[in-house]
Amino acid sequence: MALVGPYGSGKSALFDALMLAAGVPIKRGDPRTRRMGTEMRLGHCSYLGDSWSILDCPGSVEFAYEAACALAVVDLAVVVCEPVPQRALTVAPLLRTLAEQRVPHIVFVNKIDTLEGSVRDTLAALQAYAHAPLVLRQVPMREGGTVAGYVDVVSERAYRYRRGQPSELMTLPAEMRARGQEARGALLEALADHDDALLEKIIEDIAPGTDEIYRQLRKDLAEENVVEVLLGAAEHDHGVRRLWKALRHDTPDAAETAARRSIPAEGDTLVQVFKTQHAGHGGKLSYARVWRGAARDGASLNGARIGGVFRMPAGEPVKVAQAEAGELVGLGRLEGIPTGATVSGGAPATPLPAPEPPPPVYSLAIVTGDRADDVKLSGVLQKLVEEDPSLSVTQDAELGQTVLHGQGEMHLGAAVDRLARAFNLKVTTASPRVAFKETIRHAVHQHARLKRQTGGHGQFADVKIDIAPRARGEGFLFTDRIVGGAIPKQYIPAVGEAAEEAARKGPLGFPVVDIAVTLVDGTFHSVDSSDMAFKTATRLAMSEGLGRAEPILLEPIDHVTISVPNEFTAKAQRLLTGRKGQILGYAEAPDRPGWDDVEALVPEADLHDLIIELRSQTLGLGTFRRRFDHLAEARGRVERGAA
């Protein structure tokens, strides 16, 4: 089971409450000082004799890939949200992912004690983004203006919340009877859509039995025909045990999930890795789902030997002999097995579907504090990317920088923090430098002569070159028009090499592109001329000539596509134009109803923190894709670029 939901919805509080209700002595954090989680937590417990594995997934959109990996391996997800209709939009991407991956799920409306309006308003707001009908299992019951309990829609009983204890059965208040029957009728109508016998009873006004309702509810949940909605307040233990009962009754078993994912019941041990963690001296730990067979300590999976099987009863690994089919466990030292891999105890298995890492939207250049750590940095970054494939690393030789790419400021901040904590490697970060280029506005003719006499053989070379601009994107071109042996053929390649080398750093300090250099004339000395002499003379000619040809700075322009809910389209357009973007147009996203794609051409130098501002203006939902489009004159950036 996975707990998922937007940042601030209270997933970690619910995880702690579920574990405590199951008798696990987990330390509960102070809600006033609790920090946002940036790493998935795995917990194991037993509730009323049933064993459970619970994944607490980070809520920030920057860690959505990790949550998607968890959803790929669980039997059921609990979507945790707040009782605020205006925040329903923040749950929309998650509901879409659950529908795409066909994961049965329950909605748990948390913080019900803060409910100000009607829970029906929250339900209606969520329904706009849900692929299946949302059916309310409980109706909130107020006392003194605060939600103090609930009416169970199926059993038609009323309960009062009690902190740290099961809810107390109470007499159903008369004023709640009509509201409870209304919710019960809506539940039965949703279930009857998929059960003819139940529909017939409703038409004939025959009350179905409680067991019949529970049976159909479980069936429809497993088949994703309906989504149950329960209420509670995890910080106060309200509704937590009722959620446990729903989970025990309605969660599909491991065999049902394997069948839903088309995994044959018979065959070799089959395991899927959904998270990787390097624990310093503790070695590598792979979080995995055992789909079939048993994962035993010392056994081999795809040729990699399991160096320990671990459960996490209270957050710390506890070694066990083996894990059975259906379990989520940690497997030690599976070297060479990456996140998302499907491994087998026998013949190589067909890979199971796994989420694709999203493209990066934020980058930082990183530098070690000690040059001696540079070699270590490369290996550690490789481990970091193995842990989290939504990170990537590039080495920019031209700019001389190592760049870490990821999903946002918080995502990369967590990665840098992990470098220090897990690998004892401290780095400093900065905005990546932009790969500016230079070119020239007009053609020039340049003459340069080298004549040195040092006692023995001297150095002599005389070159006359034409330097001319080329069309954008045509690159560097060297030709010669030497006639009559003015410069011997053996020296001409040296002139071409030196001209190309000189173009690597122009008068403004950046590589010069889209120029043609033509050797038109020159002279030589039969004794003092050499390749080196002609290279030196050519470099002098290029340096002087490029400076006279009116050099200009070029900057990379990217094609950017911002994806946002259509209510934020105007904000996205203003954001792009505020960053010198040229709007190309917008249209409804082809695979996301209610979302728009806004396209624009934007200077790369203005894109570094785009994702931060975009998310701040779109409830954290906006994202973008980018690709290099062309180079253009960097008007107004000459001083900044040259610096």
Side-chain angles (χ1 to χ4, degrees), residues 161-338:
Y161 292 134
R162 294 189 297 176
R163 187 182 182 95
Q165 301 179 58
S167 298
E168 178 185 17
L169 180 64
M170 58 178 289
T171 302
L172 177 63
E175 65 273 14
M176 292 299 301
R177 192 174 301 278
R179 177 69 186 98
Q181 289 176 346
E182 178 189 344
R184 195 172 199 269
L187 169 65
L188 292 177
E189 285 182 16
L191 298 180
D193 286 340
H194 307 282
D195 183 78
D196 291 340
L198 185 58
L199 177 60
E200 187 175 338
K201 285 187 176 182
I202 293 175
I203 293 173
E204 295 178 0
D205 201 22
I206 299 174
T210 300
D211 289 345
E212 183 180 0
I213 297 174
Y214 282 136
R215 186 168 54 252
Q216 186 62 33
L217 188 59
R218 185 188 190 283
K219 178 177 180 293
D220 282 349
L221 179 69
E223 295 176 355
E224 304 160 83
N225 294 326
V226 299
V227 176
E228 296 182 51
V229 179
L230 292 100
L231 315 174
E235 287 288 357
H236 308 298
D237 301 315
H238 295 168
V240 173
R241 287 165 179 79
R242 184 64 193 86
L243 174 61
W244 261 126
K245 292 180 180 179
L247 292 171
R248 290 186 69 241
H249 187 275
D250 298 333
T251 300
D253 61 35
E256 289 177 280
T257 304
R260 174 168 54 85
R261 295 192 176 275
S262 302
I263 300 172
E266 302 298 326
D268 298 315
T269 296
L270 189 67
V271 171
Q272 185 176 12
V273 176
F274 63 92
K275 178 180 172 62
T276 303
Q277 190 172 57
H278 291 275
H281 296 299
K284 178 181 175 181
L285 188 66
S286 299
Y287 290 77
R289 172 79 189 249
V290 182
W291 287 110
R292 191 173 60 218
R296 297 181 177 85
D297 188 9
S300 290
L301 297 172
N302 279 29
R305 183 178 178 276
I306 299 175
V309 180
F310 301 91
R311 292 196 182 100
M312 318 285 177
E316 295 297 326
V318 174
K319 197 169 185 179
V320 296
Q322 67 180 39
E324 303 295 337
E327 288 196 69
L328 302 174
V329 292
L331 302 178
R333 303 182 185 277
L334 283 185
E335 302 303 331
I337 307 299

Side-chain angles (χ1 to χ4, degrees), residues 562 564 566-583 585-586 598-600 602 606 610 613-614 617-618:
I562 284 183
V564 290
N566 50 29
E567 63 189 79
F568 299 118
T569 300
K571 287 187 176 182
Q573 291 175 319
R574 287 194 295 271
L575 184 58
L576 289 168
T577 55
R579 291 170 180 261
K580 304 178 184 175
Q582 175 190 348
I583 304 293
Y586 72 94
V598 183
E599 297 186 56
V602 188
D606 293 286
L610 171 64
E613 190 173 358
L614 176 62
Q617 295 188 19
T618 61

Side-chain angles (χ1 to χ4, degrees), residues 126-150:
L126 291 170
Q127 186 64 72
Y129 309 108
H131 74 289
L134 302 178
V135 293
L136 197 60
R137 288 290 312 276
Q138 299 164 304
V139 176
M141 188 171 56
R142 286 183 167 90
E143 290 182 1
T146 302
V147 176
Y150 64 90

Side-chain angles (χ1 to χ4, degrees), residues 366 377-386 393 402 404 419:
I366 57 176
L377 178 64
S378 178
V380 169
L381 288 176
Q382 186 176 350
K383 289 182 178 179
L384 207 61
V385 173
E386 183 185 9
V393 178
T402 299
L404 182 63
L419 287 177

